[in-house]
């Protein structure tokens, strides 16, 4: 999953990058006006940074995903990670308290059918206003209050 691996990124920003990039590229694939729907697979135990992708879910799903990763972690032979990637010798991200209220479902519902420009303008405005405050997730900040922006004609799938 793009944006969720050992590059130490934020899986929510990673999802937004995939969705925006897909929406912008899809019209060039010759499939007409409506872009293909984006396929984005979520799973708790992948070989880079296990558990990080759980943060794309809303609170209950995120907590369940992290618990599943902690309860049934991948065997040590299933991955290689540098020592600084572990959390007190645990391979899974052990922070369910960092799960946000909003997840991928709420973001897709809020922006489906709107333009990529609408979404990107909201990302810039809301995250820019948050400054260096990391006490809330990207999705929670993004959906805190939305104001539609005039945008381009690239529709989000």
């Amino acid at each position: 999953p793009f944006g969720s691996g050992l590059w130490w990124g934020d899986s929510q920003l990673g999802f937004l990058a995939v969705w925006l990039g897909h929406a912008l590229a899809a019209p060039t694939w010759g499939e007409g006006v409506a872009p293909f729907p984006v396929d984005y697979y979520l799973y708790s135990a992948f070989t880079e940074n296990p558990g990080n992708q759980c943060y794309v879910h809303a609170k209950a799903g995120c907590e369940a995903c992290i618990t599943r990763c902690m309860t049934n972690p991948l065997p040590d032979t299933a991955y290689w990670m540098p020592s600084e990637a572990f959390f007190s010798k645990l391979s899974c991200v052990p922070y369910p308290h960092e799960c946000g209220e909003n997840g991928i479902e709420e973001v897709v519902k809020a922006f489906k059918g709107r333009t990529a420009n609408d979404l990107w303008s909201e990302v810039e405005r809301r995250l820019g206003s948050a400054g260096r405050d990391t006490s809330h997730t990207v999705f929670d900040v993004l959906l805190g209050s939305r104001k539609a922006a005039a945008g381009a004609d690239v529709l989000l799938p």
Side-chain angles (χ1 to χ4, degrees):
F2 177 83
S4 299
L6 273 182
W7 66 285
W8 310 116
D10 183 294
S11 16
Q12 292 184 354
L13 283 175
F15 166 73
L16 292 174
V18 167
W19 200 22
L20 285 164
H22 186 87
L24 292 170
T28 70
W29 300 330
E31 296 297 320
V33 178
F36 294 129
V38 66
D39 289 325
Y40 194 82
Y41 298 96
L42 303 172
Y43 43 95
S44 60
F46 56 98
T47 59
E48 292 182 1
N49 205 357
N52 189 343
Q53 198 176 21
C54 296
Y55 292 120
V56 177
H57 293 290
K59 191 166 195 65
C62 176
E63 290 171 345
C65 182
I66 289 174
T67 299
R68 187 170 31 261
C69 186
M70 296 293 293
T71 304
N72 296 313
L74 293 171
D76 292 345
T77 57
Y79 56 84
W80 176 89
M81 296 191 309
S83 59
E84 61 272 11
F86 290 89
F87 302 89
S88 301
K89 298 187 181 184
L90 300 171
S91 61
C92 293
V93 175
Y95 304 124
H97 63 278
E98 304 246 351
C99 294
E101 294 300 319
N102 293 293
I104 191 172
E105 301 89 349
E106 290 80 13
V107 173
V108 169
K109 182 178 178 183
F111 288 94
K112 185 174 178 75
R114 293 180 58 196
T115 67
N117 187 60
D118 285 347
L119 175 56
W120 182 246
S121 294
E122 245 350 72
V123 166
E124 283 189 316
R125 186 178 75 79
R126 300 289 296 163
L127 271 57
S129 295
R132 295 187 174 270
D133 179 6
T134 58
S135 62
H136 295 79
T137 68
V138 169
F139 291 168
D140 286 351
V141 171
L142 179 63
L143 296 178
S145 67
R146 295 183 325 276
K147 181 177 178 183
D153 59 358
V154 178
L155 294 180
L156 293 166

